[in-house]
Amino acid sequence: FTSKGTVTAHDALLAYPEVFRDILTPRLVHVDWALTREAGRLTLDIGRLAVDRFEAGGRVDIHDMDTEDPLLEATAATSMFSLTEVRPYIPWGIIPPDAGRFIETHVTGGDFRLVEAKLAGRLSRISRIDEEGNEGVLSLRAEISGGVFEAGGSAPVFHDISGMLELEDRRFSLRKMQGNFGNSPFTMEGGISDFALPRPAVYTAEATLQPAREEVLWLMGKERFRSFTFDGTSTLLLSGKGTADDYHVSARWDLTDAAYAYPGVMEKPGARENRLTAEIIIHTDSIEVPSFEYDLPPVRVSGSATSRFSGGTPLSVSIRSTAFDLGEVLPLLPGIRGFDPAGTCSIDVTGRGDLGDPGSMQW
């Protein structure tokens, strides 16, 4: 048999908490549907589903209905919607837990459009979607504009984000993303893979950032460098991969066109060749910099550092330089101009202690 119809309810109370959390507030609901029942098969076409200002459409096919493990196939798409308004309707219950928690916690705003969602598999696999081997039953593609991502802590907020979100084969991907990190424009490609498995999830990211002063201060430690000035443009390339407690980052920062200064210590003018590269490992209890290189001709400085989040000596650092002529660096180092230095020197320094307590530092 085949049945078609339209249902409109002005004060509907909806509830399916295992999937949708709670949707209990009276709402305006409109559904255009067509239902077909054949031997062992049920097909439901939703031409239009509207709940308040949220609209969607889709299709559900249930095969082998008379068996203990029927086959489900479903597709869905939506119009553009505000995440804030439709958050209660999102079917968190069918999204793998790690990905669902990540989205709920960090993606806090924006306008989205579900381009396509597919659910296909036996009921036994869908009900255990977070188990290994069942990752292929669900896939999603969505567009975002005006998005907001909050990393947490004191980190600047990512906002005005646009791009594509994809979920497929236990990988949540960010495609062609662009927006602003605080006041700094960025582009990014990234993803989370291997979530909902016994092993840790793997995070990857490739980003290009044009840091503004506030974001540079955040990177350096705002409280200690309030008098630091930074003007002009620069390009920071970041490439990261790893788990939450062992994340490896490669940084390449071209500062040639930027002018920055720390009063009485250093003055770097714009349009002077300058690059910073670093390898960084982020652990749960420390940040390790196995190597870094700061190139500001005629000086090239390299070294390593480790910053621990607790303990009596949270910082250890090693710095060394190539040989350079002191007279050539006078325009960069105002603090030594009064000594009228001359000659060639190099630097080799190691230190440990707490920068917040200069007296504890041992050099």
Side-chain angles (χ1 to χ4, degrees):
F1 68 85
T2 299
S3 177
K4 298 181 180 180
T6 298
V7 175
T8 300
H10 292 275
D11 295 300
L13 293 174
L14 307 177
Y16 198 160
E18 292 182 1
V19 175
F20 293 98
R21 301 286 192 259
D22 297 295
I23 310 176
L24 299 174
T25 305
R27 302 184 183 278
L28 173 64
V29 179
H30 180 95
V31 185
D32 294 327
W33 54 272
L35 179 68
T36 302
R37 177 71 162 90
E38 300 173 347
R41 178 178 177 179
L42 183 78
T43 301
L44 175 63
D45 277 305
I46 304 294
R48 177 174 176 251
L49 167 64
V51 181
D52 294 337
R53 288 179 289 180
F54 171 71
E55 293 195 12
R59 177 187 175 99
V60 178
D61 277 301
I62 305 176
H63 304 265
D64 304 329
M65 285 187 59
D66 301 325
T67 67
E68 294 183 356
D69 196 14
L71 173 65
L72 277 69
E73 295 178 330
T75 60
T78 73
S79 60
M80 190 67 76
F81 60 87
S82 166
L83 178 64
T84 302
E85 292 182 1
V86 307
R87 185 176 288 272
Y89 317 149
I90 297 175
W92 303 107
I94 66 171
I95 298 175
D98 285 358
R101 282 192 295 269
F102 180 86
I103 296 170
E104 277 195 283
T105 301
H106 299 290
V107 183
T108 59
D111 295 324
F112 293 78
R113 183 174 75 90
L114 183 60
V115 178
E116 184 180 50
K118 291 183 178 180
L119 183 67
R122 295 288 175 181
L123 182 60
S124 58
R125 295 185 64 199
I126 294 173
S127 63
R128 299 194 300 273
I129 195 171
D130 58 334
E131 295 183 5
E132 191 166 8
N134 296 335
E135 59 271 15
V137 301
L138 176 66
S139 63
L140 301 170
R141 285 195 305 119
E143 294 178 348
I144 177 176
S145 64
V148 179
F149 178 88
E150 298 182 14
S154 62
V157 174
F158 291 86
H159 60 96
D160 295 324
I161 302 170
S162 63
M164 296 292 298
L165 309 175
E166 298 179 359
L167 176 65
E168 187 171 11
D169 292 335
R170 212 177 296 280
R171 178 176 175 81
F172 176 66
S173 301
L174 307 172
R175 306 285 191 196
K176 300 179 179 179
M177 308 300 289
Q178 60 183 357
N180 290 284
F181 175 58
N183 298 311
S184 304
F186 79 92
T187 61
M188 187 184 71
E189 301 270 340
I192 311 170
S193 57
D194 294 345
F195 50 77
L197 291 177
R199 56 183 177 272
V202 176
Y203 301 82
T204 59
E206 301 280 343
T208 301
L209 186 69
Q210 295 178 320
R213 178 180 179 272
E214 287 301 310
E215 287 65 57
V216 173
L217 284 179
W218 175 76
L219 288 169
M220 297 173 63
K222 192 169 185 177
E223 294 303 320
R224 299 190 185 113
F225 295 92
R226 287 189 176 276
S227 57
F228 181 81
T229 62
F230 187 93
D231 296 300
T233 60
S234 65
T235 301
L236 174 59
L237 305 178
L238 297 171
S239 175
K241 184 176 182 179
T243 61
D245 58 359
D246 186 31
Y247 193 72
H248 293 241
V249 179
S250 293
R252 304 288 183 268
W253 197 353
D254 187 345
L255 292 149
T256 299
D257 294 328
Y260 54 89
Y262 191 75
V265 178
M266 182 181 184
E267 295 176 357
K268 187 270 178 188
R272 180 161 184 160
E273 184 179 353
N274 183 202
R275 289 176 176 81
L276 172 65
T277 63
E279 300 298 322
I280 305 166
I281 305 174
I282 303 173
H283 302 291
T284 54
D285 59 351
S286 66
I287 297 178
E288 181 182 356
V289 183
S291 65
F292 68 85
E293 186 172 285
Y294 177 81
D295 190 5
L296 179 60
V299 182
R300 177 176 292 175
V301 177
S302 60
S304 61
T306 299
S307 176
R308 298 174 181 84
F309 303 148
S310 62
T313 56
L315 175 69
S316 59
V317 62
S318 173
I319 301 172
R320 53 198 169 275
S321 76
T322 56
F324 57 91
D325 188 296
L326 284 168
E328 294 182 6
V329 301
L330 283 184
L332 304 174
L333 302 176
I336 67 172
R337 290 172 190 167
F339 298 99
D340 193 22
T344 301
C345 77
S346 60
I347 299 170
D348 192 347
V349 178
T350 58
R352 62 181 182 178
D354 183 358
L355 285 179
D357 179 15
S360 73
M361 290 296 298
Q362 298 180 8
W363 296 102

